Amino acid sequence: MRAPALTRRPAATDVGRAWESRLIRSAHPVVARVVDLAVARRSVTRLPGVGLLVADPEAARRVLTDTEHFTKQGPGSSGALWTPVLGERVLLNMDGSEHALLRRSLADLFSPRVVDEVCREAAQPIVARAAEQLRAGEPVDVVRLAREVSAAVIGQVVGLSSDADLADLLRSSDDIESMVTWRTRTFDEAGVDHARRALAVVQDAAESAHRAAQADTVMGRLALQGVSLDEARSLAAALFLTGVGTVSSALPRIVGQLADAGFLDRPGAATADLDAVIAEGLRMTTPSLATLRRCARPTELNGIRPRQDERVVVLLWWATRLSGGFDPGRRAPVAMRHLWFGAGSHFCLGAPLALAELRAMTGMVLEVAAERGLVVTRRVAARRVLVPRYAELWVSAGAPG
Ligand code: HEM
């Protein structure tokens, strides 16, 4: 899809950068300040009690791709947190040949055909409704739009059948997010039970779709490929955990960036590259703020020697900063490119689906903006949440009221 041509309003990009920092600090008031201070002096640095902080894009890429020295398993890893809830085999807690084998068996999970199909059925009706509202002069909260689209898309992937289930899905997503903070290393027994109960809506739907084994559902295709019921249940929960909060965070932040850089309020523009808008939007927003690794063998990283078993915090949001703010006209330096989706063997499995969802929603916003101009009428940063995001971001055609 082609999007309206964009002419940047340079001074306004500082506003976009300031909003991004505000979102990070509102989500993690203490940690964000401490990290800002630590990495301002050195982009790879040791923070006692936390671990090795990596905010340099090349060093971040090295940690994510060098599986000889850095692993996703072990104490303090996100794998250790999720294994008791999801089981042993959910990609994000695996490494090595078993991980590679499972990834290979899922290679077609989000093929272009599947992605088109899922987005057409689950995302397009919601996006079309929002476009109608905007064209009718009604305000639209793009946070709500992104939450509904991302839940409907994952609902379609795992085989949910009704809108009532979708509301449950969003409640579960909020519920689970509220259980995890930067400090959460493990869940106690009650926490594991609670998380399992919250995930039941997803896993039960996945189980029905897997049992039906129809080639026209994602879970059905997994069954036909020989993926076991337990594995499909676990995988469905993992896709839900990774796929709803990230896209819900990304879209409103990209719309905020477009508005702050002056790209939405002038009707009548021609066409430009929607993929470049989304790539630059993801660079600016990098919804997966950070990811964890453990040093499996001592090595050297930008002059620092990570110790055996030391926790390594790969600060993806900090590693993707560039001066000058949001500018879809430029390409990010090679080391930074796609880093918002990670790198190496754990590179985001859902990236094609996330990009398709963002294309559908951002394309619609830019199209309506080109017809009549859009303005942000209200926005509120979410407080103390795991994935930084807006709690609300309303857009409306015409001047702010
Ligand atoms: C804009 C949206 C998204 C962003 C920014 C994002 C970011 C990431 C990142 C940074 C990783 C790598 C983590 C690491 O190496 O430790 C990752 C992994 C993963 N993502 Fe995404 N993600 C997004 C959307 C999605 C969606 C929609 C899905 C599913 C439908 C998904 C499923 C996964 C899975 C399953 C993994 C684990 C892969 C593995 O360990 O092999 N993601 N994502």
Side-chain angles (χ1 to χ4, degrees):
M1 190 199 294
R2 307 287 288 175
L6 304 173
T7 331
R8 194 158 150 251
R9 186 185 295 164
T13 59
D14 290 344
V15 180
R17 277 193 355 190
W19 264 107
E20 270 301 305
S21 294
R22 193 190 297 190
L23 292 180
I24 309 302
R25 288 179 175 213
S26 176
H28 302 286
V30 180
V31 175
R33 280 181 172 77
V34 172
V35 168
D36 275 345
L37 279 176
V39 301
R41 285 194 295 273
R42 268 192 90 161
S43 58
V44 177
T45 188
R46 181 168 280 122
L47 193 61
V50 177
L52 201 69
L53 303 184
V54 181
D56 168 72
E58 277 165 21
R61 196 170 281 281
R62 151 99 195 277
V63 172
L64 298 180
T65 50
D66 176 355
T67 49
E68 190 191 334
H69 294 101
F70 301 98
T71 165
K72 231 171 140 59
Q73 287 168 326
S77 65
S78 50
L81 178 66
W82 289 111
T83 300
V85 176
L86 300 176
E88 305 277 342
R89 292 178 49 78
V90 284
L91 294 175
L92 43 97
N93 56 355
M94 297 167 74
D95 262 332
S97 53
E98 279 205 25
H99 173 258
L101 209 66
L102 184 55
R103 278 288 296 226
R104 261 203 302 282
S105 77
L106 300 174
D108 283 344
L109 196 64
F110 298 127
S111 68
R113 191 180 59 76
V114 172
V115 164
D116 274 1
E117 213 172 273
V118 168
C119 273
R120 202 176 44 250
E121 284 177 31
Q124 280 306 343
I126 303 171
V127 173
R129 219 164 37 237
E132 258 173 46
Q133 282 174 290
L134 286 172
R135 289 189 173 110
E138 292 169 31
V140 164
D141 178 8
V142 290
V143 172
R144 184 169 172 186
L145 168 68
R147 275 166 61 81
E148 285 180 0
V149 164
S150 58
V153 162
I154 295 294
Q156 175 88 4
V157 168
V158 302
L160 277 191
S161 48
S162 78
D163 286 354
D165 289 342
L166 270 190
D168 279 350
L169 205 63
L170 281 169
R171 258 194 303 279
S172 303
S173 173
D174 295 342
D175 198 6
I176 290 190
E177 194 194 353
S178 69
M179 294 175 64
V180 186
T181 73
W182 272 65
R183 277 187 298 277
T184 314
R185 306 271 173 117
T186 50
F187 293 126
D188 59 15
E189 216 174 293
V192 171
D193 279 352
H194 187 91
R196 284 195 181 143
R197 272 198 304 279
L199 289 168
V201 58
V202 175
Q203 297 193 300
D204 292 350
E207 179 165 339
S208 307
H210 184 278
R211 283 190 194 284
Q214 303 282 334
D216 60 351
T217 69
V218 175
M219 290 296 137
R221 278 194 294 275
L222 284 185
L224 295 172
Q225 280 169 27
V227 173
S228 74
L229 178 59
D230 277 352
E231 242 167 32
R233 277 181 65 98
S234 298
L235 211 60
L239 294 176
F240 167 67
L241 286 175
T242 47
V244 176
T246 44
V247 174
S248 306
S249 162
L251 185 264
R253 289 164 74 183
I254 294 174
V255 172
Q257 290 299 319
L258 282 163
D260 294 334
F263 294 153
L264 295 186
D265 56 1
R266 283 159 299 157
T271 56
D273 185 354
L274 181 57
D275 289 339
V277 169
I278 289 166
E280 175 66 353
L282 283 172
R283 181 194 68 73
M284 273 307 282
T285 58
T286 308
S288 287
L289 192 62
T291 185
L292 299 176
R293 293 293 186 272
R294 182 177 59 85
C295 176
R297 280 186 203 191
T299 181
E300 192 265 331
L301 198 64
N302 291 30
I304 296 198
R305 295 195 71 77
R307 300 183 198 113
Q308 174 91 36
D309 284 334
E310 186 169 11
R311 190 176 191 232
V312 182
V313 187
V314 184
L315 295 164
L316 294 172
W317 186 86
W318 282 265
T320 50
R321 296 310 87 199
L322 279 177
S323 59
F326 179 77
D327 180 1
R330 70 173 161 198
R331 289 198 78 191
V334 176
M336 238 177 238
R337 245 171 256 166
H338 310 298
L339 196 55
W340 39 92
F341 284 127
S345 55
H346 289 278
F347 185 83
C348 179
L349 180 77
L353 191 60
L355 289 171
E357 292 176 59
L358 292 172
R359 248 181 246 125
M361 292 185 280
T362 313
M364 178 279 284
V365 167
L366 285 169
E367 225 170 87
V368 179
E371 288 164 22
R372 56 196 66 204
L374 287 175
V375 286
V376 171
T377 51
R378 173 179 163 81
R379 61 177 127 178
V380 181
R383 289 174 53 75
R384 296 189 182 275
V385 285
L386 182 65
V387 181
R389 56 180 162 82
Y390 286 103
E392 293 175 41
L393 191 145
W394 293 83
V395 292
S396 188

